[in-house]
Amino acid sequence: MLIRRWRNWEIPEREATPESVFAGRRNLLKAGAAALVAEALWPRDLFAASDPTAALYPAKRDNAYKLDRPITPESVNTHYNNFYEFGMGKDAGDAASVLPIRPWSIQFDGLVEKPQTIAIDDLIRRMPLEERLYRHRCVESWAMAIPWTGFALKALVDYAKPLAGAKYVRMQTFKDSKIAPGQRQFWYPWPYTEGLTMAEATNELAFMVTGAYGKPLAKCFGAPLRLATPWKYGFKSIKSIVRISFVAERPKTFWEALSPSEYGFWANVNPKVPHPRWSQATEELLGMGGKRVPTLLYNGYAEQVAGLYTGLTGENLFM
Ligand SMILES: Nc1nc2c(c(=O)[nH]1)N[C@H]1C(S)=C(S)[C@@H](COP(=O)(O)O)O[C@H]1N2
Ligand SMILES: [Mo]
C-alpha cells in the first residue's frame, strides 16, 4: 500500500485517451492469456486440497445487495491482490498458494461468556450462508465488485456471546513466518490486526466471507475466513482470520500502527477527504481498460451505515 505499482491494464486518468483505453484492453487480453499459460505451467493451489464444506457453494444470492457496476472478472481479481504476508506486490496472491487452510480453527476470547476455539468447517455449518454482491474500494483508489459468499458478522457475534463490557471486536490474521515470507519483515507489526466497534460489527453490511464466485474462498482472497466491510477502505477487510476478541479498548490496527496519519481506525470511504498523498475523488474499476468513476460517500452504502457515525465529532472518520 505504501508502494503504488501500475499493472499494464491500469491506466491513470491522465492517460485515458481513447487510444490508450483501447491499448489497455488489448494488454488486458494479453495479460489474461499470459495468466492462463502460466496457470497451465505452474498451477496455483488456490483452494484447499480437501474441503469438507465445499458442497455448500454456490449459496443462494441475497438480492437485497445490488451493484451499480459489472462484477469484476474472477481472473482479474485472483491476479490482483493485497496480501502483505506474502509480499508487497499485487501478485502476492500467487505466493499465498502455500498457505495450508485445513485444518484451521478460529479462537474466540476476551470479553465473552465462554472463550472457545472452533474448527472452521464446524463454524461454517452453523452459520446462515448466502451470496452478496459487494463493491470493494481499496484506499489506493482502485475498486472491484465481487460475489462474496458468507454470513453476517452479527450472526458470529451472537454465536460468540460477548459480555456487556465489550465495545470493540478485534480480529487477527495467522502468524507464521515459516509459511508467510512477508512476516519475516520484522518492522511490520504482525500479526495483521483489524477492528470494528460493536455497532459496526452488528450492522447488517458487515459480512464474514468464506467463499467467492460461487466457490469456497481462494487463498489469495484470504481463505478460509475474511471480513468484508464494503463502506470502508479495503485494508479493514482482514484476511485469513484465526482469532476474534471482544475488547473494551479500541484496538491498534496494523496500518494504523504503521502510519496513523494515512490509515486510521475508521477508514470510511469519502471522495471529499483525500489521502495525504493522493485524491480519493475517483476510483479505477479493475478489468475495465482503465475506466474511472466517481467515488461515493461510504462507497455507496450511506443509507445502511451513515447513522453509525452521527454525533461522533472529533474523530477522523474518513482516514
Ligand atoms: N491479513 C491481511 N489482510 C488484508 C491485507 C493484507 O495485506 N493482509 N490487505 C488488505 C487490503 S489493503 C485490501 S485492499 C484487501 C484486498 O483484498 P483482495 O486481495 O481480495 O482484493 O485485503 C485487505 N486485507
Ligand atoms: Mo487496500
Side-chain angles (χ1 to χ4, degrees), residues 288-301:
M288 297 190 65
K291 183 176 179 186
R292 294 193 80 91
V293 298
T295 290
L296 301 172
L297 182 61
Y298 295 110
N299 199 22
Y301 296 101

Side-chain angles (χ1 to χ4, degrees), residues 1 82 136-140 142 233-235:
M1 188 179 307
N82 274 336
H136 172 82
R137 170 59 156 82
C138 176
V139 70
E140 296 163 327
W142 52 265
Y233 291 117
F235 64 87

